[in-house]
Amino acid sequence: MGWARKILRVNLTAGTVKVEPLNMEWAQKYLGSRGLGTKYLVEEIDPKVDPLSPDNKLIFATGPLTGTMASTGGRYTVITKGALTGAIACSNSGGFFGAELKFAGWDMIIFEGKAPSPVFLFVEDGNARLLPADHLWGKSVWDTEHAIKAELQDPLVRVSTIGVAGEKGVKYACIVNDLHRAAGRSGVGTVMGSKNLKAVAVRGTEGVKVRDFLGFLKASETAKGVLAGNAVTGQGLPTYGTQVLMNVINETGAMPTRNHRDIQFEGAHKISAEAMAEKRPTDGKPNLVANQACFGCTIACGRVSMIDKTHYTVVNRPQYWGASGGLEYEAAWALGSNTGVDDLEALTFANFICNEQGFDPISFGATVSAAMELYETGALTKEQTGGIELRFGSAEALTQIAELTGKGEGFGAEIGLGSKRLCEKYGHPEFHMGVKGQEFPAYDSRGIQGMGLTYATSNRGACHLRSYTVASEVLGIPEKTDPLATDGKAGLVKAFQDATAAFDSAGICIFTSFAWTLQDVAPQVDAAIEGGWSVDRMVETGERIWNLERQFNLAAGFTAADDTLPKRLLSEPATSGPAKGRVNDLAKMLPEYYDIRGWTTDGVPTNETLARLAL
Amino acid sequence: MEIVVKLYATLAQHLPPGAKQNQTRLDLPDDATPAHVIGRLNMAREKCHLVLVNGVYVAPSQLDRHPLKPGDAVAMWPPVAGG
């Protein structure tokens, strides 16, 4: 109930598929999706394994609410050891694929080994088989999805696939489902490509059962009412999407600009949600054409955009004239303010390319910005970039590099290394803006202090989706805290981290947390599955998952020394805005965080903590 | 005194015609507060969810008390979020 109680184990080396019962003892401790998938990974791989070795595994995991009537209950998580970071990677995605996998009757698919030649997996309810994918190798995400649907003669099949970026070893390649929803971060698509696994296609018709049907209907309906009645999830997100943050964060003075050299971007208004809704002078049409919902979502924050057909990026290229996945805030920031580019159409085009070829626009944009700094300081020459003038503010350079990176060609192959490897290669490791090898998302932690602690301690490397304290520090959700203060941030970060792990593991979208607390989630989970799921149990489960991820990273070789930020954020004061003159005061927050977590001063969970969490 | 007002998302409809980049200038009395701005532009107070003066948050309880200075930038949003 809630859980399908069945997992599919695919040995790519041997070409076999096998059905196994779900380990229900683990399910009761780790819930599902991110948590349960992590437990399987931790039990089955050597933490020191090379992420691109056949000995690494790749897990697609649904949660107990995936495929149910719970709002946003369509998510699945991909768990592996990350190609970009070497840390635990767990990237979740919306769209419709996750629900379809659950409809087919599966909690999880575990891929192990490496196929001798390209394959894709086709799951049709209880039947699964590996099929040749030589003819798909070299195809984009978009072409692969169309080709698989045609080959299987079923337009209702849901496809999750890598693009060329994942085949070529771009370190931050995504796995993209439903054309433009992605398990985006940490290089999960790179791992998939290393296994010669091109795609997973699923058709499910079995539905999902819950423990207490009437109780679940009541709980999910009540919770949907909370989302609809909340001004953020009921009105703000559907109307403006995440991109409304562009001006908010810029005004707050926490907008990383030009590889974090600045903290406010003079062109923010040109690439904001408001700009996307304005009619263009060139064709009289707005960039934004619609919003879009994932499976079961009653928020519908997704953006659908069309590029101006006269824009230099798409002239005579009708394949990019249609409506497709538009800019979310993270992509708009990374491709825009961080590279100094304020051409909205160029950013939209670069975002299309990221979706088409399957690579993370955050890490890509951040790596381009690092390369621009290398170029402008003379560490990188025009000869080395293949003739591209990689200057901050150059839309042409950005879009040209996007196309090269997606195909792993020319200097794009270098950008595909990610900023850490790129900056080390060209002699300036200090230009890498990230943690544990993963590039920062869209908040400069000199202006939002809690996000510095969030980034430093994130188990998958720099990430806003492990504990989005921006909600509290900037937006006042659930209550307002001072973004420039450090007091209380250790507890705030821990609370967000544990709750987020619980949301993720249930199989729902973290954006519900702008209106929901675990008090809204627990009744839905409890009605869906056995075991008695209270708020306290959800919190404890989240904390257990966080510590499990931490243990994996420690065993992989990470230490407290990796819980840090780049020197620029710790010692170069912000240049403008309310945070002018401030650095991130991580040292004031980190020891308290370790203490609250029940970890040693070296960041290792104590025996008491492990025992308390039954780890 | 003159201040800069920036209205975003659905609040932008309260900007005077011809306003660019979501902002305009307002002449206000010397003792003006953010509440004066809200009243002058005929906005519903409950819609002005996030109010920043020079990028610094002003709590709802302080909208009548926070003194504005000449040249201040007052930015406002309805309830919004992202990530």
Side-chain angles (χ1 to χ4, degrees):
Chain A
M1 295 296 177
W3 294 297
R5 295 173 177 262
K6 203 171 64 172
I7 68 175
L8 183 64
R9 185 175 296 277
V10 181
N11 188 306
L12 294 162
T13 306
T16 58
V17 295
K18 192 172 73 171
V19 183
E20 292 180 7
L22 185 68
N23 185 321
M24 294 310 297
E25 182 187 340
W26 292 353
Q28 286 289 341
K29 285 179 69 176
Y30 298 96
L31 189 53
S33 204
R34 171 179 164 185
L36 191 53
T38 300
K39 176 62 176 172
Y40 271 87
L41 188 81
V42 166
E43 292 291 335
E44 295 193 9
I45 72 165
D46 176 355
K48 292 191 184 299
V49 73
D50 176 350
L52 302 182
S53 148
D55 292 334
N56 192 10
K57 297 192 181 185
L58 184 75
I59 299 176
F60 284 40
T62 64
L65 297 185
T66 306
T68 70
M69 292 175 67
S71 183
T72 77
R75 300 194 79 87
Y76 72 106
T77 305
V78 179
I79 303 108
T80 187
K81 182 172 178 178
L84 182 68
T85 58
I88 190 83
C90 46
S91 295
N92 78 42
S93 179
F96 296 82
F97 176 86
E100 196 77 19
L101 181 58
K102 195 71 169 290
F103 293 161
W106 303 98
D107 290 307
M108 202 178 292
I109 306 173
I110 300 176
F111 294 99
E112 49 194 33
K114 176 181 180 179
S117 60
V119 293
F120 77 97
L121 179 73
F122 177 40
V123 179
E124 192 174 25
D125 289 333
N127 299 310
R129 60 186 190 275
L130 287 166
L131 296 169
D134 304 270
H135 59 301
L136 302 174
W137 209 252
K139 286 189 184 299
S140 71
V141 165
W142 299 347
D143 289 343
T144 299
E145 172 151 343
H146 289 305
I148 287 178
K149 286 181 172 178
E151 179 176 335
L152 299 175
Q153 297 185 14
D154 186 351
L156 297 180
V157 161
R158 296 291 178 184
V159 177
S160 180
T161 183
I162 57 171
V164 175
E167 299 172 11
K168 296 284 188 178
V170 170
K171 293 289 187 189
Y172 41 84
C174 305
I175 300 171
V176 185
N177 56 280
D178 303 295
L179 301 177
H180 46 243
R181 307 313 303 184
R185 301 224 69 190
S186 309
V188 295
T190 323
V191 174
M192 189 160 161
S194 77
K195 294 184 174 302
N196 270 337
L197 177 62
K198 179 66 179 177
V200 182
V202 180
R203 183 74 177 100
T205 62
E206 295 184 359
V208 179
K209 295 183 175 66
V210 293
R211 179 185 66 80
D212 171 9
F213 180 65
L214 290 177
F216 186 80
L217 274 182
K218 184 179 175 187
S220 62
E221 186 178 342
T222 300
K224 285 175 184 171
V226 173
L227 293 177
N230 181 281
V232 170
T233 51
Q235 298 159 35
L237 277 171
T239 306
Y240 284 94
T242 59
Q243 258 279 65
V244 78
L245 283 186
M246 183 64 70
N247 286 309
V248 175
I249 301 302
N250 199 47
E251 283 289 321
T252 301
M255 173 71 74
T257 301
R258 291 175 281 269
N259 205 32
H260 292 248
R261 293 198 302 199
D262 298 308
I263 201 166
Q264 289 181 304
F265 181 44
E266 63 282 357
H269 65 279
K270 295 183 182 175
I271 60 172
S272 64
E274 288 83 358
M276 288 173 71
E278 284 176 10
K279 290 178 181 175
R280 293 179 289 236
T282 45
D283 63 357
K285 297 174 183 173
N287 175 284
L288 179 73
V289 295
N291 66 326
Q292 188 176 48
C294 299
F295 173 85
C297 177
T298 55
I299 301 174
C301 72
R303 303 291 93 183
V304 179
S305 287
M306 290 176 74
I307 299 174
D308 174 4
K309 292 174 187 168
T310 66
H311 191 261
Y312 77 88
T313 52
V314 298
V315 170
N316 298 323
R317 302 177 80 182
Q319 67 268 36
Y320 299 111
W321 290 354
S324 192
L327 290 165
E328 308 293 343
Y329 171 57
E330 290 294 338
W333 156 78
L335 302 170
S337 85
N338 208 31
T339 64
V341 174
D342 63 6
D343 179 339
L344 181 64
E345 302 302 307
L347 304 190
T348 306
F349 176 76
N351 193 55
F352 279 16
I353 298 298
C354 289
N355 287 336
E356 183 185 29
Q357 298 299 0
F359 56 107
D360 172 17
I362 300 178
S363 285
F364 167 71
T367 304
V368 171
S369 75
M372 286 173 164
E373 185 159 11
L374 288 168
Y375 188 88
E376 293 202 349
T377 55
L380 196 56
T381 65
K382 193 172 175 180
E383 288 68 37
Q384 289 168 313
T385 65
I388 299 173
E389 294 255 19
L390 257 183
R391 298 196 178 281
F392 284 114
S394 172
E396 291 78 7
L398 172 73
T399 53
Q400 199 174 345
I401 284 289
E403 296 203 73
L404 289 171
T405 302
K407 294 174 182 171
E409 295 174 351
F411 191 68
E414 298 282 278
I415 295 294
L417 294 171
S419 70
K420 181 173 189 288
R421 291 173 176 84
L422 182 83
C423 292
E424 286 172 350
K425 180 172 180 177
Y426 289 96
H428 288 274
E430 73 277 13
F431 291 170
H432 164 57
M433 293 294 119
V435 175
K436 298 182 178 74
Q438 180 158 281
E439 295 77 9
F440 287 120
Y443 311 90
D444 193 302
S445 61
R446 288 168 292 194
I448 308 175
Q449 292 285 320
M451 288 305 288
L453 184 61
T454 285
Y455 296 148
T457 60
S458 165
N459 287 327
R460 71 169 185 179
C463 177
H464 59 300
L465 293 173
R466 303 296 93 169
S467 65
Y468 191 65
T469 61
V470 174
S472 169
E473 296 183 275
V474 176
L475 305 170
I477 302 170
E479 59 185 36
K480 187 72 175 69
T481 54
D482 181 354
L484 298 181
T486 54
D487 288 350
K489 295 298 169 64
L492 187 74
V493 168
K494 177 184 179 295
F496 268 80
Q497 287 173 338
D498 293 348
T500 299
F503 272 78
D504 287 347
S505 299
I508 54 176
C509 176
I510 193 60
F511 282 7
T512 57
S513 69
F514 291 126
W516 288 353
T517 67
L518 286 174
Q519 291 188 336
D520 301 289
V521 180
Q524 299 181 80
V525 172
D526 185 55
I529 56 177
E530 304 86 344
W533 290 83
S534 64
V535 171
D536 287 347
R537 185 173 176 191
M538 294 286 290
V539 172
E540 182 187 66
T541 301
E543 185 178 8
R544 180 180 299 122
I545 292 164
W546 189 265
N547 279 270
L548 180 69
E549 294 171 342
R550 177 75 176 184
Q551 283 184 296
F552 178 89
N553 284 351
L554 292 171
F558 289 92
T559 69
D562 297 298
D563 296 339
T564 190
L565 299 171
K567 186 179 170 190
R568 175 165 291 172
L569 302 183
L570 295 173
S571 62
E572 295 180 23
T575 52
S576 66
K580 185 176 181 179
R582 288 289 301 272
V583 295
N584 185 271
D585 293 319
L586 180 65
K588 293 181 182 174
M589 299 181 280
L590 191 60
E592 184 187 0
Y593 172 84
Y594 284 170
D595 184 54
I596 290 174
R597 275 261 170 238
W599 295 354
T600 68
T601 53
D602 291 327
V604 178
T606 64
N607 289 336
E608 291 78 13
T609 298
L610 296 178
R612 177 172 60 80
L613 296 170
L615 280 166
Chain B
M1 65 177 170
E2 188 177 75
I3 65 157
V4 176
V5 178
K6 304 176 183 181
L7 301 181
Y8 295 105
T10 48
L11 294 183
Q13 62 187 296
H14 295 277
L15 287 164
K20 290 189 175 162
Q21 298 181 18
N22 287 80
Q23 57 183 277
T24 189
R25 291 181 175 275
L26 273 190
D27 271 321
L28 293 173
D30 287 346
D31 62 347
T33 64
H36 281 94
V37 178
I38 293 170
R40 177 73 72 83
L41 294 175
N42 298 314
M43 295 187 286
R45 189 154 168 161
E46 66 273 15
K47 296 285 187 188
C48 301
H49 179 80
L50 178 62
V51 178
L52 305 179
V53 175
N54 301 325
V56 178
Y57 177 75
V58 178
S61 63
Q62 299 300 309
L63 293 177
D64 291 304
R65 299 176 195 166
H66 184 95
L68 295 177
K69 302 186 301 296
D72 275 354
V74 181
M76 300 189 192
W77 288 263
V80 294

